[in-house]
Amino acid sequence: MTKLIAFSAVPPLTLALVAACASNPGPAPAAASTAATPGAAATPASAGKLDSTPLADPVANVPPTCKNGTKAAGTGLIDDFEDGNDKAAPAGGRNGSWWIGKADHAVITLPKGPVKPSDGGPEGSKHAMHFVGKTDNADSWGAAVGVNFLPSGFYDASKYAGIAFKIKSAKPNLDVRLKILDANTHPEGGVCKDCFNAFGRELILGTEWKDVSLMWSELTQQSDWGNPRPPMIEPSKLHDMEWQMWPGNDFDIWLDDVHFIECQ
């Protein structure tokens, strides 16, 4: 069964988050650092607010709920794409870069050639990441656009409370999974036996720019696969974050203003 968590239709946020189930996927290409299988077809739930019920008991490395809300962290910019290149913003000790990954039968039409932003974006922005293509049901996963926090190894993001970004789709109700791989879910951590079931959330995208803000405690693994299955993401050891397309979809998404958040 798929559990749907929806947002109000009132701006600034009208996308739904879905905690979807999936069976054990096949291996992912190393460049993509990702793997998944398609879940059940997602349908936005009735309008409402994000369920604030804790997903698990707090653990030592996860910041508590921000009682007064969150804000963009002072050193939190991951990328606003205004420099027009594939490098993440050099803030907070990060020096990662953007990448594209795809399954065997998937076709990527944008970006063409080197990974770089396109002209456009939300109001006030000149550039944003534009990711366009088609995935195939013949594959066990689809395609992904992502960013590494460091050229190799893991980044300590424990001083932050979560992540935020702006996103939209050319067509409504596109199901995209946000994934943040950590030392427990990426092979480089030397921990996982069944890797790539990253903590994340399902996003049901609309055709207008939306602000998405998620605390670490709101991220979950997919059900029924992956080893290990820790109670929470490990913010002190993050490898990358990515936006993954499911198999059997034509997709056309825009992404901008990616950053870490902190408590007010």
Side-chain angles (χ1 to χ4, degrees), residues 141-162:
W141 74 288
V145 57
V147 60
N148 293 336
F149 299 115
L150 297 171
S152 63
F154 297 88
Y155 176 72
D156 184 356
S158 59
K159 64 182 177 181
Y160 304 116

Side-chain angles (χ1 to χ4, degrees), residues 98 143-145 165 167 176-178 241-245 255:
W98 289 86
V145 57
F165 51 89
I167 193 168
V176 173
R177 180 162 179 82
L178 169 71
M241 65 185 300
E242 55 197 70
W243 293 258
Q244 182 175 285
M245 312 298 124
L255 180 70

Side-chain angles (χ1 to χ4, degrees), residues 77-79 86-98 147-155 239 260:
L77 180 64
I78 297 172
D79 213 346
D86 68 339
K87 303 299 183 184
R94 299 178 294 277
N95 61 341
S97 58
W98 289 86
V147 60
N148 293 336
F149 299 115
L150 297 171
S152 63
F154 297 88
Y155 176 72
H239 187 274
F260 288 108

Side-chain angles (χ1 to χ4, degrees), residues 37-174:
T37 53
T43 304
S46 58
K49 294 183 178 180
L50 178 64
D51 185 355
S52 60
T53 304
L55 299 173
D57 291 334
V59 292
N61 64 327
V62 177
T65 299
C66 295
K67 294 181 179 179
N68 298 319
T70 60
K71 63 181 179 179
T75 60
L77 180 64
I78 297 172
D79 213 346
D80 60 9
F81 303 108
E82 294 306 292
D83 54 13
N85 61 35
D86 68 339
K87 303 299 183 184
R94 299 178 294 277
N95 61 341
S97 58
W98 289 86
W99 50 263
I100 297 292
K102 74 178 191 68
D104 291 342
H105 297 93
V107 176
I108 306 299
T109 53
L110 279 177
K112 291 183 177 179
V115 178
K116 63 179 183 179
S118 297
D119 293 341
E123 184 176 357
S125 177
K126 294 181 179 179
H127 299 94
M129 183 61 71
H130 194 187
F131 188 40
V132 183
K134 183 176 183 178
T135 56
D136 197 302
N137 281 321
D139 297 313
S140 62
W141 74 288
V145 57
V147 60
N148 293 336
F149 299 115
L150 297 171
S152 63
F154 297 88
Y155 176 72
D156 184 356
S158 59
K159 64 182 177 181
Y160 304 116
I163 51 89
F165 51 89
K166 296 178 180 179
I167 193 168
K168 76 169 185 174
S169 170
K171 66 178 183 180
N173 299 325
L174 179 67

